[in-house]
Amino acid sequence: MIGKAAGPPISITGLGAYAPDRVLTNDELSTIVDTTDEWIMERTGIRERRIAAPEQALTDLALPAAHAALDGAGVAARDIDLLLCATVTPDMMFPTSSALLADMLGAEDAAACDLLAGCTGFMYALAQAYGMIAAGLAGRALVVGGDVLSRILDWTDRSTLVLFGDGAGAVVLEKVDRPGFLGFELGADGGGGVHLSLPGSGSRHIEDATGNGYVQMNGREVFKFATRVLVSSAQAVLDRCDASVDDVDVYIPHQANVRIMDHAAQKLGIPRERMVVNVDRYGNTSSGSIPLALADAQAQDRLKEGDLVLMTGMGAGLTWGSALMEWTR
Ligand code: ACO
C-alpha cells in the first residue's frame, strides 16, 4: 500500500518515550551466554539494552511515554478519540493493552485496540491513526509503540538474546495548520514470515518444551530482507511524495542493527549525520524502536519546524513501512 496524504494537514504534536532503568551490558550478557562485547559490537553496534523489571509489563512502559506525549501536545487524555497500541508483547491478549492504557490515562472516550505488525507496528499504527483523523472519524489519536521482548526471548540462545531490548514510545496525532504527514508506504510478505516467528503465541501451536514460546529467527534471511526493504520502502514513499533523498533532514530507520542501518543510509544516499542512531544504547526494541529514536532526536534538538523526516520500519510478518512528514512544532 502506498499513498500520498490527501486529507487535511495532520501531524505529531506530542512525543514521549520510556525505557526501563535496568541496563544490561554486553559484558554482562557474556556471563549468561557464550558471547563477547566484541562480537556483538562488530555484528550489531549494540553496546547495551534496557530490560524491564519483573513487575513491569508493556502498559507500565507505555504509561509514562503516553503521559509525556499528552503533556507535550497540551492535550488531556479525555480528549483522545482513538488509542492504538502497536506491540507483540501486550500485557496479555485481552484485555488489550490499549484498553488498559486508556483506562489508566482516563481516556474515557477513546476507541482502543492493539495492532500486531511485528517491529513495523508503530508505522502501521501511525498510518491508521492518520487515516481515521483524515476521514473525520477521530479528532485526536494517541499512538503507542512498545515491546517487552525480553519476556519472549530464549535466554540461552545467544543468536537472538543479544539483539533485543525493552522500551516504548507514544505520539499524539491531530490536525494542524500546515502539512505534517506527506505519505505512507506499507507492505507485508507472509511467505517470508517463517524467518522471524513466535510459533507458540497463538492458535497454531501451544507453548511447549520445544521452545515454541520464544522468538525464532533466521538471522541471515532477516538481514537480507531488512537491507532490501529499508531501501525500497523509503524510496517508494519519497517518489510518491515527489521528494528526493537530498531533501531528507532526519532519517529514522528501525533500530535493529547498525550494519543494516548504515547499509540503508548508504544505498539511499543519506549522509550518516542525518540518521538517528540509538540502537547502541537500547538494542532493538521492536515497536518501541522508532518512537524511542524520535524522542531521542527531539531531546537532541534535531527536529526543527519544517524538517523533512523519513521513518522506515521493518520486522516480523515479514512487514515493512515508511512515513514521510514535515516536522511541525
Ligand atoms: N556471540 C558470538 N557468536 C555468535 C553469536 C553471539 N551472540 N550469535 C551467533 N554467533 C555465531 C554463530 O553461531 C556462528 O558461528 P559458526 O560460524 O561457528 O556457526 C557465527 O557467529 C556467525 O553467525 P551468523 O548468524 O552467520 O552471523 P551474522 O554475521 O549473520 O550475524 C546477526 C548475525 C547479527 C543476527 C545478523 O544476521 C543480523 O543482524 N540479522 C538481522 C537480525 C535482525 O535485525 N532481526 C530483527 C529484525 S526484525 C525485528 O526488529 C523484530
Side-chain angles (χ1 to χ4, degrees):
M1 186 208 91
I2 183 162
K4 189 170 171 176
I10 293 165
S11 192
I12 291 172
T13 58
L15 167 60
Y18 174 82
D21 294 336
R22 168 82 165 95
V23 175
L24 180 61
T25 62
N26 291 346
D27 282 338
E28 199 178 344
L29 265 182
S30 70
T31 66
I32 301 171
V33 288
D34 182 14
T35 193
T36 59
D37 174 53
E38 192 187 3
W39 191 97
I40 302 170
M41 280 300 288
E42 189 186 308
R43 307 286 175 124
T44 72
I46 299 168
R47 228 178 333 116
E48 58 190 38
R49 69 287 294 142
R50 302 296 184 91
I51 302 294
E55 68 279 9
Q56 282 182 313
L58 191 264
T59 56
D60 301 309
L61 273 51
L63 187 63
H67 274 304
L70 290 168
D71 287 351
V75 165
R78 64 179 174 280
D79 294 328
I80 294 294
D81 305 305
L82 174 67
L83 199 164
L84 296 178
C85 184
T87 185
V88 295
T89 49
D91 289 19
M92 57 194 87
M93 284 308 287
F94 54 88
T96 60
S97 291
S98 49
L100 294 172
L101 199 57
D103 183 58
M104 291 169 177
L105 291 165
E108 295 159 10
D109 294 330
C113 70
D114 290 359
L115 192 151
L116 273 174
C119 301
T120 321
F122 183 72
M123 304 310 297
Y124 271 72
L126 277 184
Q128 294 195 13
Y130 170 85
M132 296 273 249
I133 296 172
L137 298 178
R140 288 193 186 88
L142 180 66
V143 175
V144 176
D147 270 304
V148 193
L149 283 190
S150 62
R151 295 284 151 73
I152 56 169
L153 294 175
D154 176 353
W155 281 66
T156 66
D157 175 10
R158 66 180 181 177
S159 68
T160 50
L161 183 61
V162 302
L163 303 176
F164 299 102
D166 302 334
V171 293
V172 173
L173 260 64
E174 57 188 321
K175 287 183 189 153
V176 290
D177 294 335
R178 46 177 295 179
F181 286 101
L182 303 174
F184 295 92
E185 196 270 345
L186 302 171
D189 167 22
V194 66
H195 297 310
L196 185 54
S197 67
L198 187 62
S201 55
S203 56
R204 179 64 63 193
H205 300 280
I206 54 161
E207 189 171 345
D208 57 27
T210 61
N212 272 340
Y214 301 122
V215 171
Q216 296 180 9
M217 187 183 72
N218 179 335
R220 284 187 187 181
E221 287 302 322
V222 174
F223 192 95
K224 281 192 265 178
F225 157 77
T227 47
R228 181 167 47 82
V229 297
L230 280 187
V231 177
S232 59
S233 179
Q235 198 62 67
V237 78
L238 285 165
D239 288 350
R240 180 55 66 101
C241 296
D242 306 312
S244 136
V245 282
D246 298 335
D247 304 328
V248 174
D249 298 296
V250 183
Y251 173 46
I252 307 188
H254 176 45
Q255 308 283 311
N257 177 327
V258 165
R259 279 196 302 157
I260 294 173
M261 295 159 64
D262 277 342
H263 176 275
Q266 199 185 352
K267 277 270 178 195
L268 286 165
I270 299 177
R272 197 176 199 272
E273 59 274 17
R274 295 194 200 158
M275 178 164 74
V276 178
V277 180
N278 67 8
V279 67
D280 55 324
R281 287 179 288 126
Y282 295 113
N284 178 346
T285 55
S286 184
S287 304
S289 149
I290 287 182
L292 269 169
L294 262 179
D296 256 16
Q298 179 168 265
Q300 294 161 17
D301 204 21
R302 290 177 66 179
L303 296 170
K304 307 251 189 320
E305 176 90 23
D307 272 358
L308 193 66
V309 179
L310 170 65
M311 302 172 243
T312 302
M314 56 82 193
L318 299 168
T319 54
W320 61 89
S322 291
L324 188 68
M325 66 180 298
E326 263 182 38
W327 195 255
T328 46
R329 287 264 185 200

